[in-house]
Amino acid sequence: MAKKILVIDDDPSTVKYLVSVLKNNGFETCEAYDGVEAMAVLQREKPDLITLDLEMPEEWGTRFYRKLRKQEGALRDTPVLIISAMPSRHLSVRDVVGYLSKPFDPGEVIDIINQNI
Amino acid sequence: MAGKILLVDDEEGIRRVLGISLSDMGYEVHTAENGETALQVFRDQRPPIVLADIKMPAMDGIDLLRKLKAEDPDTEVILITGHGDMDLAIKSLKYEATDFIIKPIEDRDLESALEKARQRIKLRQQWRSYTENLEDMVRRKTDRLTAAAEAAENAGNGRFQHLFEELPGYVAVIDGDYRITEVNKAVKFDFGVDDPGGTHCYELFRGLDEPCLSCPVARSFAEESPCQEELKFTPDGGARTCHMFAWTTPLQDEAGDVSRVMIMMTDISHLLDLKDHLASLGLMVGSVSHGIKGLLTGLDGGVYMLNSGFSHNDPEEISEGLKTVKTMSSRIKRMVLDILYYAREMKLDKQPADIAEFVRETAEVVAARARESAVELVRDVDASLENSRITIDAEQLRAAIVNILENALDACAEDREKDWHRIGFRAFAENGTLCFDISDTGPGMEAEIKENIFKLFYSSKRSQGTGIGLFITRKIVSQHNGTIEVESAPGRGTRFRIRIPYRQ
């Protein structure tokens, strides 16, 4: 069965881009544009991995990340790949499978995902 | 002599012609025909400015730029780009090129890029020497002064009194009641007093009725040790404000008690200006490179979808990709134009202009976009202004108003609550001013956004805005001695009003 990736970014063009890359590589996708929506989609879709932009208004990204790690059961350990325009040294989350900085290389996204699920 | 410059271009003709121009401007010109040679010449000659073609075989201008910056980050590198190499030009900014000039090279562009490089070099040197020297200077002077003042007091020696008088910077001796007992010439001169004896220091220096909240003099009395503090002062009877770096030291009387404190101050306003300038440059580079990263990601996405659409023969994906590419390239264009506009020195060229025509031509700039977005654009010039003229820099003021009109269009496009939108653009005379009134039926702004819109690098449009547009607008309006106000509330649209002094 195809693995499912949750794409979270408030910039619609980035979401479309990632969804297109993922579908072309045989993944299923679901998407969310802010932290609240992301939490609902996470619980409904139970994705195998999440790509997350930390730089969303009002620290949605960071807050979503913290909430995710406090979830009950297996959801808590969902692997997270950060894709952000901020340099990684400025980021406040540590337990992730990778950081990619924008603009990213689609090949790298797929490599990191394949290595982690 | 303007100093050394290194000119790198693979074409001999260009090296020769540009070399002559640069020599004429007074530079000692060194040349190289490729990146490798350029690096060798750079290491031998250490020129502060390098002018390099962006397109060269083997090592291109960008690679050279990165290597030069790695060897010496202070090198000012100006890149020469061809027409249409905008992507390379943007990349050059990312790697901190000083500027880029576009072929065919106009002397004016070359001169302005070189001027910018020289300014940056000067600024950096000033900044460095100020920070290195300031503390040291104050300490040395205070030490010398303490010794001089004490010796003068003990020996009554006129020679030391003279030294005290002539010291640069402001020096005063203050007693336990904050009363000034002695000052040097500089204080008398700049604070306009002949004999301040008995005046309170806070009164003379800062025009206050009671001691300052944070006072280094009081601390020196209490701690019996030297203190330092940055203070805001108003010499010349309040005509200007300056920032002072103050250094105090306790003076002991014969019994060994601290009966007076000496304060020595130096004006550091200039230093703070430099600091602001540097901070704004840093902010600029950071915010711009961040914005560009976002836009490039979007552009990559568009191209990827186009490719993917073609290989799957999926018309929907192709059109999606094309739409993204179009949006992103227009945003990038706008951003680059904003930045170039901001970077440019703005000097007004005021000419009498017909008001009605000015309004019509300004509205014309955004008319096509308004039609596309199905927004009604209504312009109205009061009948009393028919055939009237006003002296303005029409090009600049138009740019200022277009910024507002474009924001109004963005706001209307964003608001999907209503199925119709209108932008009103009116001109009328009122109380000795010409008013331009721009209103929209968009979603309006929260108070917090409204308060910040004129700040440099503030944008409510996130990755789509540079935060430069309205900052420039306000700058242009104030250069016309005008004012700009905004009224807005969520759900009630937004209204900007620009007033320019005008006599009918």
Side-chain angles (χ1 to χ4, degrees), chain B residues 250-447:
Chain B
L251 301 177
Q252 293 176 347
D253 59 20
E254 280 154 25
D257 295 327
V258 175
S259 59
R260 287 180 295 165
V261 163
M262 180 167 60
I263 182 163
M264 157 126 198
M265 295 171 294
T266 250
D267 188 343
I268 56 164
S269 309
H270 192 45
L271 181 71
L272 291 181
D273 286 350
L274 277 173
K275 207 159 98 184
D276 280 357
H277 201 89
L278 284 182
S280 114
L281 277 179
L283 197 59
M284 171 96 185
V285 171
S287 127
V288 164
S289 77
H290 183 257
I292 285 176
K293 278 182 197 165
L295 293 175
L296 291 179
T297 308
L299 199 58
D300 277 358
V303 173
Y304 182 91
M305 280 185 270
L306 265 181
N307 274 331
S308 162
F310 278 119
S311 67
H312 300 147
N313 213 356
D314 175 351
E316 205 174 305
E317 200 171 6
I318 293 175
S319 101
E320 191 66 55
L322 199 60
K323 209 171 89 193
T324 311
V325 169
K326 274 188 186 160
T327 322
M328 291 302 155
S329 53
S330 79
R331 279 190 208 162
I332 290 175
K333 191 174 145 203
R334 214 158 133 181
M335 180 166 206
V336 170
L337 290 177
D338 270 1
I339 294 166
L340 294 180
Y341 209 98
Y342 170 72
R344 206 172 79 182
E345 274 295 311
M346 285 195 284
K347 283 206 187 86
L348 294 192
D349 175 21
K350 288 191 188 174
Q351 306 278 353
D354 184 278
I355 296 171
E357 198 175 293
F358 173 76
V359 168
R360 187 176 51 75
E361 283 176 357
T362 304
E364 214 45 42
V365 178
V366 294
R369 241 195 93 199
R371 270 196 301 277
E372 263 172 43
S373 332
V375 174
E376 190 188 356
L377 179 62
V378 185
R379 74 184 143 81
D380 172 51
V381 179
D382 193 82
S384 69
L385 294 172
E386 207 65 40
N387 296 320
S388 302
R389 288 150 86 83
I390 182 170
T391 304
I392 49 170
D393 183 326
E395 192 198 332
Q396 302 271 21
L397 198 60
R398 178 169 304 122
I401 295 175
V402 165
N403 273 337
I404 298 177
L405 288 169
E406 286 192 329
N407 283 345
L409 275 169
D410 288 341
C412 291
E414 185 195 308
D415 183 14
R416 299 196 181 94
E417 301 268 303
K418 298 186 203 120
D419 49 9
W420 66 272
H421 277 289
R422 182 165 56 206
I423 294 174
F425 178 24
R426 295 202 304 135
F428 55 93
E430 189 184 87
N431 301 332
T433 63
L434 177 62
C435 297
F436 295 104
D437 197 284
I438 298 119
S439 59
D440 69 60
T441 54
M445 290 181 278
E446 301 282 352

Side-chain angles (χ1 to χ4, degrees), chain B residues 108-125:
Chain B
R108 211 181 50 181
D109 293 346
L110 179 62
E111 270 164 21
S112 106
L114 288 169
E115 175 60 25
K116 190 162 153 195
R118 285 198 302 269
Q119 284 295 339
R120 281 169 53 129
I121 292 169
K122 204 170 124 197
L123 198 64
R124 207 180 292 116
Q125 282 166 348

Side-chain angles (χ1 to χ4, degrees), chain A residues 37-71:
Chain A
E37 190 186 4
M39 203 32 89
V41 179
L42 171 79
Q43 279 160 352
R44 191 177 64 230
E45 302 283 342
K46 304 193 171 31
D48 298 287
L49 185 141
I50 298 168
T51 77
L52 174 66
D53 178 13
L54 287 179
E55 254 177 308
M56 296 193 286
E58 299 163 35
E59 294 190 37
W60 277 334
T62 316
R63 290 206 323 238
F64 168 81
Y65 180 83
R66 293 202 185 115
K67 269 198 213 156
L68 169 75
R69 294 304 185 219
K70 284 183 195 144
Q71 292 290 301

Side-chain angles (χ1 to χ4, degrees), chain A residues 9-11 13-14 16-17 20-22 24-25 53 55-57 85-87 101-104 106, chain B residues 94 290 292-294 296-298 300-302 304-305 308 312 317 320 323-324 328 331 462-464:
Chain A
D9 199 308
D10 66 328
D11 176 26
S13 64
T14 307
K16 272 186 214 150
Y17 180 16
S20 172
V21 170
L22 292 167
N24 280 341
N25 286 276
D53 178 13
E55 254 177 308
M56 296 193 286
M86 254 192 286
S101 79
K102 288 179 182 176
F104 54 84
Chain B
K94 184 174 166 187
H290 183 257
I292 285 176
K293 278 182 197 165
L296 291 179
T297 308
D300 277 358
Y304 182 91
M305 280 185 270
S308 162
H312 300 147
E317 200 171 6
E320 191 66 55
K323 209 171 89 193
T324 311
M328 291 302 155
R331 279 190 208 162
R462 309 228 329 107
S463 58
Q464 300 170 36

Side-chain angles (χ1 to χ4, degrees), chain B residues 177-192:
Chain B
D177 295 326
Y178 300 106
R179 286 187 191 279
I180 296 171
T181 61
E182 261 168 288
V183 295
N184 74 337
K185 251 192 200 169
V187 174
K188 288 178 193 160
F189 193 78
D190 279 359
F191 288 86

